[in-house]
């Protein structure tokens, strides 16, 4: 029996030593400073989803195309002349043209023909059905005092080319009247009607 007690005591001592050692290790781990976890800081630029970029690009492109739309008449705008008759071609919006022809004029009166039409890129022509001819009286500063309509709804066309415009008109009985690009030396400029 003494041997049994001794075995029990010895086993208890071994268990107690094991427990004490384990507790000591646990305490030692708590006491020994552990290295702090390393946190890496990586700088990056903000990332936006590709969908937002595509939408923004589409909006900018739509705005730019609207603002910078090219009216094909812009390639032909300016002053043209044939003797004392002058033609002014102006772009109107994205695809139309405003035509002003001064048929006869001096400092007090001008006979002015106007038409607004769409440019046909296939034939480089401006076909009109709304030609209006007016007699305009001017003051000493060139401002309109009065105007009298001679006719309206005239039909005809201007074919535009390199440095020239060719006019055919039904009421004016004009057939292939050629205007050169530029302004004659002693011309009366067209009044904006």
């Amino acid at each position: 029996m003494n041997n049994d007690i001794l075995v029990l005591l010895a086993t208890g001592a071994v268990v107690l030593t094991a427990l004490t050692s384990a507790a000591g290790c646990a305490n030692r781990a708590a006491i020994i400073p552990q290295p702090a976890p390393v946190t890496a800081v990586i700088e990056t630029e903000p990332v936006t989803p590709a969908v937002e970029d595509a939408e923004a690009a589409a909006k900018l492109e739509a705005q730019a195309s609207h603002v910078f739309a090219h009216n094909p008449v812009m390639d032909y705008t300016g002053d043209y002349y044939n003797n004392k008759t002058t033609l002014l071609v102006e772009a109107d919006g994205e695809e139309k043209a405003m035509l002003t022809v001064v048929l006869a004029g001096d400092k007090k009166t001008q006979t002015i023909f106007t038409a607004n039409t769409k440019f046909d890129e296939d034939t480089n022509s401006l076909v009109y059905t709304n030609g209006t001819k007016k007699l305009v009286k001017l003051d000493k500063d060139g401002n309109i005092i009065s105007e009298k309509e001679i006719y309206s709804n005239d039909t005809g066309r201007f074919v535009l080319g390199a440095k020239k415009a060719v006019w055919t008109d039904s009421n004016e009985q004009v057939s292939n009247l050629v205007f050169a690009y530029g302004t004659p030396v002693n011309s009366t400029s067209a009044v904006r009607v």
Side-chain angles (χ1 to χ4, degrees):
M1 171 138 154
N2 280 341
N3 277 343
D4 289 335
I5 292 178
L6 282 176
V7 171
L8 277 175
L9 285 175
T11 306
V14 170
V15 170
L16 184 58
T17 304
L19 288 174
T20 311
S21 287
C25 287
N27 286 339
R28 181 182 269 171
I31 296 173
I32 297 175
Q34 299 294 321
V38 177
T39 305
V41 176
I42 300 172
E43 293 185 26
T44 61
E45 294 193 25
V47 177
T48 55
V51 173
E52 288 180 15
D53 290 341
E55 289 173 1
K59 284 181 184 176
L60 286 174
E61 186 177 327
Q63 290 172 349
S65 67
H66 179 69
V67 172
F68 299 112
H70 178 72
N71 182 333
V73 175
M74 292 295 293
D75 296 334
Y76 302 99
T77 58
D79 294 306
Y80 297 78
Y81 70 95
N82 178 304
N83 295 322
K84 291 185 178 183
T85 303
T86 61
L87 163 66
L88 174 63
V89 177
E90 299 173 283
D92 182 17
E94 293 182 12
E95 57 186 19
K96 291 189 174 186
M98 182 64 192
L99 305 169
T100 305
V101 179
V102 178
L103 299 165
D106 58 31
K107 291 184 178 183
K108 294 184 180 181
T109 62
Q110 290 185 342
T111 304
I112 299 175
F113 174 86
T114 59
N116 190 310
T117 185
K118 186 175 176 181
F119 183 67
D120 182 347
E121 289 186 77
D122 295 331
T123 62
N124 278 1
S125 62
L126 297 162
V127 177
Y128 56 86
T129 58
N130 61 355
T132 302
K133 184 176 181 179
K134 295 179 181 180
L135 180 62
V136 178
K137 293 194 179 197
L138 308 170
D139 67 12
K140 65 179 180 172
D141 296 323
N143 298 314
I144 298 174
I145 298 172
S146 67
E147 59 183 59
K148 178 183 175 186
E149 186 175 294
I150 299 169
Y151 62 76
S152 63
N153 297 321
D154 184 18
T155 60
R157 70 187 266 166
F158 281 89
V159 178
L160 304 173
K163 306 289 184 185
K164 70 177 183 178
V166 180
W167 187 25
T168 302
D169 182 87
S170 60
N171 278 355
E172 292 299 316
Q173 298 178 355
V174 172
S175 179
N176 297 320
L177 178 64
V178 178
F179 289 82
Y181 185 78
T183 307
V185 178
N186 296 321
S187 73
T188 305
S189 62
V191 173
R192 307 264 193 251
V193 182

